[in-house]
Amino acid sequence: MDFKEFKEFSADMINYVGNYLENIRDRKVLSSVKPGYLRPLLPAEAPNDPENWKDVMNDVEKLIMPGVTHWHSPRFHAYFPTANSYPAIVADILSDSIACIGFSWISSPACTELEVVMMDWLAKMIGLPEMFLASAGQGGGGVIQGTASEATLVALLGAKARMLQKIKATDPAIVDSDVVPKLVAYSSELSHSSVERAGLLGGVLLRAVATDGEHKLRGDTLRDIIRKDRADGLIPFFVVATLGTTSCCSFDRLDEIAEVGKEEDIWVHVDAAYAGSSFVCPEYRHYMKGVELVHSFNFNPHKWLQVTFDCSAMWLKNPNYVINAFNVDPLYLKHELEGQMPDYRHWQIPLGRRFRSLKMWFVFRLIGVANLQKSIRKDINLAHEFASRLENNPNFELFNEVTMGLVCFRIKGSNEINEALLKKINDRGKIYMVPSKVKGSFFLRMAICSKYTQMEDINVTWNEVKEAGEIIMSNEK
Amino acid sequence: MDFKEFKEFSADMINYVGNYLENIRDRKVLSSVKPGYLRPLLPAEAPNDPENWKDVMNDVEKLIMPGVTHWHSPRFHAYFPTANSYPAIVADILSDSIACIGFSWISSPACTELEVVMMDWLAKMIGLPEMFLASAGQGGGGVIQGTASEATLVALLGAKARMLQKIKATDPAIVDSDVVPKLVAYSSELSHSSVERAGLLGGVLLRAVATDGEHKLRGDTLRDIIRKDRADGLIPFFVVATLGTTSCCSFDRLDEIAEVGKEEDIWVHVDAAYAGSSFVCPEYRHYMKGVELVHSFNFNPHKWLQVTFDCSAMWLKNPNYVINAFNVDPLYLKHELEGQMPDYRHWQIPLGRRFRSLKMWFVFRLIGVANLQKSIRKDINLAHEFASRLENNPNFELFNEVTMGLVCFRIKGSNEINEALLKKINDRGKIYMVPSKVKGSFFLRMAICSKYTQMEDINVTWNEVKEAGEIIMSNEK
C-alpha cells in the first residue's frame, strides 16, 4: 500500500468511524450473533496476493459490525465505561507511525519524557500529593501501565521485594523461601478479580477481608486481622484499598486503611480504576483522604477520562523497590545516560511499550480540564436521575448509595426474580446490563458508559427497566 | 472536538505521518536531546480550556520529533525491528473507534472470533502443526498477547499449574509450598532477559544453561542438568527454547530439546519472538524441527511481520492449564454462552484487551503472504550482503553465522577496541547500533530494522562501519 492509497483508505475509514460513533445510538447495543458466527464467513487462509482496501472496508460493516457489542452506545450500561475520543484516535495514528518501543530513555527520549510530564499533569489534575510528582524531586513518579490488573501486580511485587529486603536486612542467613510462604496481603472482599489474581501470580496468600454495612473495608477490621496473622507467625506486607469497587462502586475507607498501613509498616496500594477519573472534580476528592500515606496509586484514564485503552495511570512513592525487583538487564538494553530519566522497562511486567502519553497530551489539550470535569459530572448526574426514578417506584430498591455513574438496584424480592429481570431486560435487546452479587444479594448494575448518553437515553433505559419489571412482577403473581 | 474537526485533524495527521515515513531516511536516526529536554518546553499543567488542534499539530514536529529515535529509519540497526505498515495504522483507527474490551466472548463477539481465525491463518502461514489450530478441534489454539515477555510468563505459569496438578494427584496431602521451592525451569544462557524475569515473577528457580560452540542450547546438556537436578530432589517442569536469540540470533536445537521435554515430561515453550516471522518462508522452517512436541509457541508479528505493536502471537496445545490457573471469575464477567468460544481473559495476565486482530486481518489481506515473504527475504539478503563486506575486509570478523536479518561482528581485537568502535559509530550519528556480549566477547549487532532499507543503505552503513573502524585502528597504533 503506497502513500496515496493510505490517504484514501484512512480518509474513508475516518469517515466511517465518525459516522459510526455519531450515529451509534441507532445500532442494537448487544450483538445477537451466535458463537462461531464469523469463521464460515472468512476464507480458511490468508491471501497470497494483496486485496483492494475497498473490499476490506466493505467487510468491516458486513462481517465485523454484526459481531460488535457497542460499548459507546448510550444504551450500553454493562461493566464500566471504556474511553473513546477523537483526539485520542488521532494521537494513536501518530503513535502507530512513530512506532518506537520506549523500554529505555535512549530508545526514544520523547516517549519517556512526555510520559513523565503527562503523569505529573494528571497527578495535578486529580489532586495527588506532591510525593507522586516527578517534578517534586522526592523520588516518586508516574508510569503508564496497560491495565489496572498489571498495576496491582506491579505494586504487589514491589511490596514483596520491600518486605524481603527489610527482613533479610535483619539476618543475612534468611532466604526467600523462609519468608514467601508466610507473606500475607489484604484487600476488601469486593476488590476486583485482578487483585485475587495478583495474589495468585505473585505466589502469596491474599485475604479477602469483610466489609462493613456500606460495603467498605474499615481500618479496625483490617487491623484486627493483621494482628491475628502476626500472632500466627505470618508476615503482613501489602493491602489494596479500592476506591470504587466494580461490584457496587463502594469506597474503602482509605483514611483508616492508610493509618493502619503506617502503623503496621505495610505497603498500601490504591486501586481507583474506575472512580479515579472523578477526582478531576474537587468535590469527589474526599474519597482520597489518607492518600498522602500510601505507597502506590492507580486509576484508568482509559475508563472515564476519554483516553482510549490502554492507559492505566500508576504512581509510585518509591519506584526503586519495583525497579530493583524487575532489573535483569542485558548489555543490549543498557545505555550511557542511565539514571537521569526513568528507564520505564523496570517499572512494568513487559519489556516493550508504546508511545501512549501522546494520547494523554492530545486529550488533555484538545478537550481541556473543564470539559473533562463537565463530562464526569454529567454522567454522575444522569446516574442520580435514574436512581430517583427507581426510588419513586414501589417495585424497586437501590442496593446501595449512588456515588458515581453506577446505579445498583433490584426489584424488592428474591434473587431469582432479579435474575429473571436482568434476563428480560437483556433479551428485549434495547439496553445491556450485567449483574453483581454482594453478600448474597443479587442486583443489577446500570453504568453510564457513553459520552453520548443524555437525559433522553435515561428515559429509554428507565422505561425498559420499568416495563421489564412490570412483566416480571405480573408473571410472579 | 466535533466530527468535522476530527476529519480535518486526522487528514492533516495522516499527511504528516505519511510524509514522515516516506522521508524518514533524511532524519538523523538517533535523537541528540539531553535527558530532561522536554519538561522546560511544556506548560506545568494541563490547560483548563481546549486548545486548537493546529497548535498541537505544530508542537509534534517542534517538541516531539527532536526527541524521537527513528526506529523505521534505514539507518536504525539497533535492537530488533518493530513493525509498521499503513494497513496496520488504519486498522488501529477502527480498533480505537469501536473501542470494545474483549475480555469475554459476549463483551464483543467479533473481537474474540476474528482473533481465533486470524491466529489460525497465521499458524498456517508459518507452518505450525495442526494441534495449534482452533479449527482442528484438538483443544489447542492461539491468542494475541501484548509482548513475548508476557507469553513466556503465561507459559511458565501454565507449566507450573500443570506440574502442581500432576504432583498433587499422586498424594492429596501435598500442598503448593511443598512443591514450589523445588520447581526448576531451564533456558539457554542466551535467552531473552524476559525469560529470567518470568522466573523471578513466577517465583521459581530458572537455570541459564550453557550453549554449544554455535551458541545453541543442546539436548544432551539439558538432559544432563535435568537428571542431576532430579537426583538432587528438585522438580524440573519447564524449558524455554529460543529460536533466534536477541544477543546473536542463534537457534537452540529445538529438535533435541523437544525430545528431552517428551522424555522428561516437562513443558517446552518456544520463544521465536524475532525469527518466528521468517517462518512465513518455507526455507527457514527447518529451525522449527520438533515443534510438534512442544506445549506452547510464541513469536511477535509486531517485530517483523508489519503488524504494529502490540501483537505477540502465542499458541497453546492445551490452554486449560493456563485457563484454570488464571480463572477467578466474578459474577459480572460471566455470561450464558461460556465455553463455546474462548473467553480470552483467562489466557493472559491483564483482564482488558483491545481489538488487535483487526491489524492482522488488514495486514494479511492488504499486503498478502507473498509480499510478507518478499520483505523477510529482502532483509535477510541485505544482512548477508553486509556480512560479505565485513568478511572481505581484513580488520573485521563475524561473531557468528548470519541466519536472519542480524549481523554480529567485531574488529579483530580486544573488547575495548570494539567498545570504542561502537561509541565512534554512534557518535558519528549517521547510523545506530547496540552491542552484545556472549561468552566474554563484546561485539556489535547490525540489525536490518526498516522496511525502507535497500542496498544503498547497506552501502552507507558499511562505509560508516569501515571508516569508524579505520579511525579506531589508527588510534590504536
Side-chain angles (χ1 to χ4, degrees), chain A residues 36 38-39 43-44 48 51 59 67 69 71 84 92 96-97 107-108 110 113 120-121 124 197 345 348-349 365, chain B residues 36 39 43-44 48 51 59 67 69 71 84 92 96-97 107-108 110 113 120-121 124 197 345 349 365 370:
Chain A
L38 187 58
R39 189 187 291 277
N48 200 54
E51 299 182 44
D59 283 348
T69 295
W71 282 62
N84 189 314
D92 251 359
D96 273 2
S97 303
S107 74
S108 219
E113 299 217 2
D120 275 6
W121 277 21
K124 290 177 188 172
R197 209 188 231 196
R345 69 182 176 283
Q348 61 174 22
I349 307 289
R365 292 183 66 181
Chain B
R39 189 185 291 277
N48 200 55
E51 298 182 44
D59 283 347
T69 296
W71 282 61
N84 190 315
D92 250 358
D96 273 2
S97 303
S107 74
S108 219
E113 300 217 1
D120 275 5
W121 276 22
K124 291 177 187 172
R197 211 188 230 196
R345 70 184 176 283
I349 307 289
R365 292 183 67 181

